[in-house]
Amino acid sequence: MSITAQVIILFCIVLVGALCRRLGYFTDETIRGTTQIVVNVTLPCLTVYNMQRPFAVDVLQNFLLTMAVAFVLIFACLGATLWLFRSRPHARLAVLANLEGFSNCGFMGYPIILAVNPDWMIYAVAYNIAFTFITWTVGVSLYRGKENMSIRRALLNPNVVSAFIGFLFFCTSFTIPEIPAQVLSMIGGLTTPLSMLLIGTRMCGIHLRDFKDTDYHLSAALRLVVLPLILYAALRPFPISPAVANTLFLLTAMPSGTMTAMQAELYGGDAVFAARAIAYSTLLSLVTVPLMSMLL
């Protein structure tokens, strides 16, 4: 099955999620609870389980390379956005920077990577480490300054903790015993369907009349098309492993991360704009991600 077909299948599950929301099967309360389960339980289990593989020097080098490129990429996106939208009010500018700097690399990116090639999952984890560390430090500081930065919160995030555990298992070639491994596999296996269903719930209630502000269209175009294409062109001259390049490209092509809306609410950003912009970019990604995947 082609990569594009696999991505389309996932987005069919998104549409099922939207239908479930419309029918009332997903309420605000169940959405919050299910999101907490995915972020704090199924994603970490998926990470640990999929990082069990025999140690190999080339994989370690590619893991570190992916993380380094992710750090550079996210900082470059933040800096470019701050310059491009420098005339916007501070509350809007902070949100715009976070929308462009941080893609939905875990919640949506992991299922996409698993559908395309499960062997690339270890590099998706490397990207997510950079994402989580920067979003809880620099990303948060954009709203109110350094007093909101929390390196401790970043390091204790369940997805970072599980990434370091999985990385330790990889470096030592440790194999989890069969029964707990099956437990991790079954729980982690819930990530893809639950994530796609939850993304679908965000599609309900979107009205095009709410998106008259050109910043919605500019931020979505940058996040979904411009940034991944720039990265695609920038990586081509370098002798980078296709697994690393493709993982970086796909995760960069994801819509804006949902964490931005939560942080805007907590730290004084334009929360209404953030929530709508994320929903808008996620809706458009139903078209752009399958198209972008055709470049692989």
Side-chain angles (χ1 to χ4, degrees):
M1 186 181 296
S2 69
I3 293 174
T4 302
Q6 291 170 325
V7 173
I8 290 174
I9 289 172
L10 291 179
F11 283 131
C12 287
I13 302 176
V14 170
L15 298 178
V16 173
L19 177 61
C20 289
R21 173 64 165 169
R22 180 68 66 183
L23 294 174
Y25 300 155
F26 271 112
T27 64
D28 290 340
E29 185 175 338
T30 56
I31 290 172
R32 283 193 297 270
T34 306
T35 300
Q36 290 296 318
I37 290 173
V38 171
V39 172
N40 297 312
V41 181
T42 71
L43 270 173
C45 287
L46 180 70
T47 297
V48 173
Y49 180 78
N50 278 280
M51 288 191 71
Q52 282 188 103
R53 54 192 299 170
F55 177 79
V57 174
D58 62 324
V59 174
L60 174 60
Q61 291 173 339
N62 286 334
F63 180 92
L64 296 176
L65 174 62
T66 304
M67 188 160 55
V69 173
F71 268 103
V72 172
L73 174 64
I74 293 172
F75 277 121
C77 290
L78 290 174
T81 307
L82 289 172
W83 178 83
L84 183 64
F85 294 101
R86 59 191 181 280
S87 62
R88 304 300 192 274
H90 180 266
R92 171 69 66 89
L93 179 61
V95 170
L96 284 166
N98 277 272
L99 289 172
E100 303 311 319
F102 306 111
S103 70
N104 200 337
C105 59
F107 202 70
M108 187 172 175
Y110 278 13
I112 297 292
I113 293 298
L114 284 174
V116 174
N117 191 329
D119 289 340
W120 298 353
M121 184 64 186
I122 190 170
Y123 307 128
V125 171
Y127 188 106
N128 200 259
I129 291 174
F131 163 90
T132 304
F133 186 81
I134 301 174
T135 194
W136 283 112
T137 52
V138 177
V140 168
S141 73
L142 293 174
Y143 293 102
R144 289 186 180 175
K146 293 182 179 180
E147 66 271 14
N148 288 313
M149 293 179 64
S150 177
I151 295 177
R152 179 177 181 273
R153 184 189 293 133
L155 293 176
L156 293 180
N157 182 283
N159 291 285
V160 173
V161 172
S162 62
F164 282 120
I165 292 173
F167 183 69
L168 179 63
F169 287 172
F170 163 68
C171 290
T172 59
S173 294
F174 177 77
T175 301
I176 299 174
E178 182 177 359
I179 291 179
Q182 286 299 314
V183 171
L184 289 173
S185 176
M186 293 180 70
I187 295 176
L190 296 172
T191 300
T192 295
L194 287 180
S195 295
M196 295 297 106
L197 289 172
L198 285 170
I199 289 168
T201 65
R202 295 191 176 90
M203 299 299 98
C204 291
I206 293 180
H207 302 287
L208 292 180
R209 63 177 178 271
D210 295 329
F211 302 101
K212 296 178 181 179
D213 190 329
T214 56
D215 281 351
Y216 288 115
H217 310 299
L218 287 173
S219 63
L222 286 171
R223 174 73 272 163
L224 298 170
V225 179
V226 177
L227 293 177
L229 288 180
I230 289 176
L231 178 69
Y232 181 83
L235 293 180
R236 286 181 66 83
F238 298 98
I240 297 177
S241 163
V244 172
N246 291 339
T247 299
L248 287 166
F249 173 70
L250 281 174
L251 295 183
T252 303
M254 294 298 108
S256 299
T258 55
M259 187 70 70
T260 296
M262 184 186 77
Q263 291 180 341
E265 188 72 41
L266 288 174
Y267 303 115
D270 190 339
V272 173
F273 174 79
R276 287 180 177 176
I278 291 166
Y280 186 55
S281 71
T282 302
L283 178 63
L284 293 179
S285 72
L286 300 181
V287 176
T288 61
V289 171
L291 290 176
M292 288 294 171
S293 68
M294 295 174 68
L295 294 175
L296 300 181

